[in-house]
Amino acid sequence: MKIHVAAAAILDQSGRVLISQRAENTHQGGLWEFPGGKLEAGETAAAALSRELEEELGIVPLATEPLIRIRHDYEDRHVVLDFYRVSAYRGEARGLEGQPLQWLSPADMQPESFPAADRPVITALKLPQRYMITGADAERPEEFLKHLSMAIEGGIELVQLRAHPLSDSAYRQLLAKLLPVCRARGVKLLVNRPQGVLGWQSEADGLHLTANQLASLSRRPDGAKLIGASCHHLHELQMAERAGLDYVLLSPVQKTTTHPQAASLGWSRFADLVDQVNLPVYALGGLSADDLPNAILKGAQGVAAISAFWSPVN
């Protein structure tokens, strides 16, 4: 049996999300979920979302955008779930069908308390829409810190420390300088070392794997809070999903100056690939913050970039 569902991550002004509890006598009864319901015949996902939220909660969504699409096989049904982020609505949310409600920060959500199909949504809610990969000046720590500080001032919340030319010792020293700056502002800093994991994921907030590292991965590395990987085609995306990674970067979406010979995916192919995996995917390659709205519409978690976010230092 195939079921198509539209569901909402409804946010309040403090970033908490509204969740509801399934009745004990229903499928996955007793678990918490994101409000929503099945599409009716001929109904779009957006229309179903508006109808379901009004019927279940008594609210009318005013500002929505796609969050993530999930495909999941339970023993007795195949479910396609279109999740939307709802940032504004009219009315006061109430459990009109007698369902318990709770406002909860994504950081406080326990995945095991949700149906398996909903769990990637929790990860997507924890991740920002802009992902910065560090650029030049790694050999000059003070200049590097200025770049980083300016990016954080501009709202960057997730940073990958990419400094391949540095020795292991120099990379560790730079990481030690950046971590206090990031943690003071609530920014997550990820390690990227093509030479090997080196156990540094316990020092930073997470780990980013190259495509080569992903190919040799037999299981999710221990210790890292957040793990992602660079991907370029469907096989790599599927490897990342099977390994239980939290996100991926998919590139190149467009032509880039750093890899001009690489064939670009284009937005149509990008959207097709994203639709085949159940994890947050950042669009990377020749993009800027201006591409964010289109990336979201194509199914992306957001946009990742180096030059677009690595601000010049005056």
Side-chain angles (χ1 to χ4, degrees):
M1 178 172 59
K2 183 177 181 179
I3 300 173
H4 193 171
V5 172
I10 304 166
L11 283 79
D12 68 7
Q13 293 184 345
S14 64
R16 297 181 305 170
V17 178
L18 183 65
I19 57 176
S20 60
Q21 191 171 32
R22 295 182 64 83
E24 291 289 347
N25 62 348
T26 62
H27 182 257
Q28 303 284 304
L31 296 179
W32 291 87
E33 65 177 356
F34 300 95
K38 301 174 188 176
L39 275 65
E40 295 180 350
E43 193 174 36
T44 66
L49 185 76
S50 294
R51 175 182 53 76
E52 288 285 348
L53 295 188
E54 190 164 10
E55 292 174 357
E56 289 186 20
L57 303 173
I59 64 173
V60 177
L62 301 177
T64 67
E65 65 179 7
L67 177 60
I68 191 172
R69 170 176 280 185
I70 302 296
R71 300 178 186 274
H72 189 84
D73 284 313
Y74 292 102
E75 291 184 0
D76 58 344
R77 65 195 67 191
H78 174 75
V79 185
V80 177
L81 303 104
D82 282 310
F83 287 92
Y84 291 82
R85 194 191 308 265
V86 177
S87 55
Y89 59 89
R90 183 174 67 248
E92 181 180 351
R94 309 181 309 281
L96 298 182
E97 299 175 347
Q99 72 274 34
L101 303 179
Q102 184 179 182
W103 289 96
L104 200 63
S105 165
D108 295 328
M109 292 179 180
Q110 302 299 318
E112 61 272 16
S113 299
F114 290 76
D118 286 11
R119 294 171 191 175
V121 183
I122 299 173
T123 303
L125 287 169
K126 292 177 181 179
L127 292 170
Q129 293 182 327
R130 294 188 298 162
Y131 177 122
M132 185 181 75
I133 304 166
T134 59
D137 295 325
E139 297 87 352
R140 297 184 293 172
E142 296 309 315
E143 292 297 306
F144 204 83
L145 278 170
K146 289 179 182 179
H147 280 290
L148 178 67
S149 297
M150 290 181 67
I152 293 173
E153 289 294 330
I156 290 295
E157 299 175 347
L158 181 59
V159 177
Q160 177 197 134
L161 177 52
R162 186 180 186 276
H164 297 343
L166 296 186
S167 66
D168 287 351
S169 175
Y171 188 96
R172 277 186 180 276
Q173 291 175 18
L174 183 59
L175 178 64
K177 290 179 180 290
L178 302 190
L179 276 172
V181 175
C182 289
R183 287 180 174 160
R185 300 295 299 274
V187 173
K188 295 187 184 301
L189 183 61
L190 309 179
V191 167
N192 177 353
R193 291 299 281 170
Q195 296 89 337
V197 174
L198 303 178
W200 295 353
Q201 64 267 30
S202 60
E203 299 178 24
D205 298 299
L207 176 69
H208 183 82
L209 304 173
T210 65
N212 287 337
Q213 288 172 322
L214 174 63
S216 63
L217 194 67
S218 59
R219 61 181 176 84
R220 181 186 172 95
D222 296 328
K225 308 176 189 73
L226 183 63
I227 309 178
S230 295
C231 296
H232 308 91
H233 48 71
L234 180 59
H235 178 61
E236 290 174 342
L237 291 171
Q238 292 171 334
M239 284 194 298
E241 185 176 5
R242 285 195 299 269
L245 303 195
D246 299 300
Y247 76 89
V248 296
L249 307 183
L250 179 57
S251 69
V253 178
Q254 297 179 353
K255 290 288 185 182
T256 68
T257 56
T258 53
H259 299 87
Q261 304 304 318
S264 57
L265 295 168
W267 283 115
S268 178
R269 180 59 178 160
F270 174 87
D272 177 62
L273 290 171
V274 170
D275 195 40
Q276 297 182 65
V277 291
N278 295 333
L279 74 172
V281 179
Y282 285 95
L284 172 65
L287 306 178
S288 71
D290 293 338
D291 294 294
L292 184 56
N294 186 47
I296 296 297
L297 291 176
K298 299 301 184 183
Q301 171 71 24
V303 166
I306 301 177
S307 58
F309 299 147
W310 192 244
S311 305
V313 177
N314 297 325

